[in-house]
């Protein structure tokens, strides 16, 4: 599960929130999950393929506080070796009190971000696929608005004989075209590496995703039990930095009609290192079923005791539906 706490170096961190319940259940970041699921392509455009032609996916997420996120995507084949997709993602953060410079309440506003995405992928060889997507991002916060353009570049190598998937993604390349004010807000540009594989007849696929690779030092502050007498302790050891770059996942692949996934994101757990952190912080769980041309999925995570997040996905294969 992704959470932006203790990581305010850039804006637009909502771009790191997945729109797939499978990805969310595998720790929130996974660029190497090869599956016939159009909702995973926001992680890596090279996961898009002609096998997803005619797929429609709708997602909804109840996030931290009163935030509500939603997404819609569609994919289609483009010739024998290509595919394209279009998507829209909405991030709403609920109603907030608006004040003037003196602190006087003058009303309320509902901040939001909207991202429009177009993606294309191409099979370079039978096992290597490349992809690119373009994102146009609008942000509206009360009387202020901004517009940004970003792109993701991805490669995926998949060996079906060994069920081995290796991926690399350069995410969120781009910048602001229109600023909120005179200050420039940077996009969360990132380099990511991913590995997924199952072994023999054992029905579990394991994944490790390395992200935030443009910056090694990712310190965080341990706040003890949260009392005022406790001093914040900076954690910046080699092992801490290493594991804050890694996301672990395991999903059950015993059937094509249903799935279960479990993820662990150490960065999420340490970002929530306060007295309100729960035992479940950093862990996430997902599951879903597929019946003919329809699929339904859910994911659950609890970053801290005051915030339970749930994601819902509904998918449909139009090609199978009209047969």
């Amino acid at each position: 599960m992704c959470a932006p706490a203790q990581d305010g170096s850039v804006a637009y961190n909502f771009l790191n929130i997945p729109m797939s319940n499978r990805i969310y259940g595998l720790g929130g970041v996974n660029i190497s999950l090869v599956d016939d699921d159009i909702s995973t392509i926001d992680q890596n455009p090279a996961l898009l393929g002609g096998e997803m032609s005619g797929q429609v996916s709708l997602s909804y997420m109840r996030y931290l506080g009163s935030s509500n996120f939603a997404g819609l995507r569609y994919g289609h084949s483009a010739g024998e070796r290509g595919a394209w997709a279009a998507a829209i993602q909405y991030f709403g953060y609920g109603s907030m009190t608006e004040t003037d410079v003196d602190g006087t309440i003058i009303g309320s506003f509902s901040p939001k971000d909207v991202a429009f995405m177009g993606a294309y992928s191409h099979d370079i060889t039978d096992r290597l696929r490349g992809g690119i997507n373009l994102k146009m991002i609008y942000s509206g916060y009360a009387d202020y608005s901004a517009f940004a353009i970003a792109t993701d570049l991805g490669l995926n190598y998949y060996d079906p004989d060994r069920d081995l998937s290796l991926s690399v993604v350069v995410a969120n390349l781009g910048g602001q075209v229109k600023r909120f004010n005179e200050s420039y807000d940077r996009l969360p540009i990132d380099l990511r590496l991913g590995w997924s594989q199952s072994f023999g007849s054992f029905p579990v696929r394991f994944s490790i995703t390395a992200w935030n690779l443009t910056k090694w030092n990712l310190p965080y502050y341990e706040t003890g039990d949260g009392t005022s007498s406790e001093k914040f302790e900076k954690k910046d050891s080699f092992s801490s930095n290493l594991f804050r770059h890694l996301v672990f996942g395991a999903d059950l692949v015993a059937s094509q009609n249903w799935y279960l996934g479990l993820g662990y994101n150490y960065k999420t757990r340490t970002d929530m290192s306060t007295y309100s952190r729960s035992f479940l912080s950093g862990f996430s769980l997902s599951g879903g079923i597929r019946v003919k041309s329809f699929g339904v999925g859910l994911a659950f995570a609890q970053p801290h005791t005051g915030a339970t997040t749930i994601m819902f996905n509904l998918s449909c294969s139009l090609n199978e539906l009209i047969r």
Side-chain angles (χ1 to χ4, degrees):
M1 198 287 286
C2 296
Q6 295 198 24
D7 190 12
S9 57
V10 294
Y12 295 97
N13 278 307
F14 60 87
L15 294 174
N16 291 327
I17 299 173
M19 288 289 105
S20 163
N21 75 291
R22 294 201 72 173
I23 300 298
Y24 193 66
L26 293 175
V29 187
N30 189 307
I31 65 170
S32 55
L33 185 71
V34 174
D35 192 65
D36 185 12
D37 185 353
I38 190 70
S39 69
T40 64
I41 66 170
D42 65 313
Q43 295 285 299
N44 181 357
L47 298 178
L48 172 66
E51 65 276 7
M52 300 176 185
S53 185
Q55 279 196 26
V56 179
S57 176
L58 175 66
S59 61
Y60 169 77
M61 184 181 195
R62 180 70 175 180
Y63 201 56
L64 306 180
S66 57
S67 299
N68 293 276
F69 304 155
L72 177 67
R73 56 193 55 75
Y74 172 78
H76 201 279
S77 60
E80 295 183 357
R81 305 182 71 87
W84 62 267
I88 181 172
Q89 296 173 218
Y90 171 82
F91 303 86
Y93 309 104
S95 180
M96 299 182 182
T97 301
E98 184 176 4
T99 64
D100 60 19
V101 293
D102 298 319
T104 303
I105 296 176
I106 58 175
S108 63
F109 68 103
S110 300
K112 60 182 176 294
D113 296 294
V114 184
F116 303 90
M117 185 186 79
Y120 177 78
S121 70
H122 186 79
D123 292 341
I124 302 170
T125 70
D126 291 340
R127 295 186 176 183
L128 184 65
R129 178 181 290 171
I132 181 173
N133 68 31
L134 180 66
K135 293 176 283 191
M136 295 176 288
I137 308 154
Y138 168 80
S139 300
Y141 304 157
D143 296 329
Y144 298 91
S145 64
F147 184 77
I149 297 177
T151 187
D152 300 335
L153 305 173
L155 283 172
N156 173 257
Y157 170 85
Y158 180 62
D159 181 352
D161 298 329
R162 294 188 293 165
D163 193 26
L164 168 65
S165 174
L166 301 172
S167 289
V168 57
V169 170
V170 180
N172 303 317
L173 288 171
Q176 279 187 315
V177 177
K178 179 182 181 297
R179 307 178 185 182
F180 286 109
N181 47 40
E182 295 181 357
S183 63
Y184 178 80
D185 294 321
R186 295 187 296 114
L187 294 173
I189 297 172
D190 194 14
L191 173 65
R192 300 170 183 176
L193 302 174
W195 165 84
S196 294
Q197 187 175 7
S198 62
F199 297 91
S201 60
F202 189 58
V204 176
R205 174 172 48 195
F206 300 95
S207 297
I208 300 176
T209 306
W211 67 317
N212 288 313
L213 296 182
T214 58
K215 181 181 180 181
W216 168 252
N217 288 319
L218 295 174
Y220 71 98
Y221 290 88
E222 183 67 53
T223 56
D225 63 1
T227 64
S228 59
S229 61
E230 292 286 338
K231 294 182 178 180
F232 287 10
E233 181 181 357
K234 185 177 182 179
K235 301 290 186 178
D236 195 19
S237 65
F238 174 85
S239 59
S240 173
N241 280 305
L242 174 63
F243 282 98
R244 277 170 64 81
H245 284 284
L246 301 177
V247 178
F248 302 91
D251 59 317
L252 192 62
V253 290
S255 171
Q256 294 183 346
N257 297 322
W258 58 272
Y259 61 86
L260 290 173
L262 176 67
Y264 179 67
N265 189 322
Y266 180 73
K267 185 176 185 299
T268 293
R269 184 168 181 84
T270 50
D271 280 347
M272 298 294 174
S273 58
T274 68
Y275 66 96
S276 61
R277 181 176 70 186
S278 72
F279 172 78
L280 296 176
S281 295
F283 289 96
S284 53
L285 179 67
S286 65
I289 58 173
R290 294 173 180 172
V291 180
K292 295 183 178 180
S293 59
F294 293 94
V296 179
L298 288 172
F300 165 87
Q302 189 181 64
H304 60 83
T305 55
T308 297
T309 60
I310 297 175
M311 174 176 281
F312 170 79
N313 275 101
L314 177 64
S315 62
C316 175
S317 175
L318 299 180
N319 290 346
E320 294 183 7
L321 188 63
I322 61 179
R323 286 177 184 175

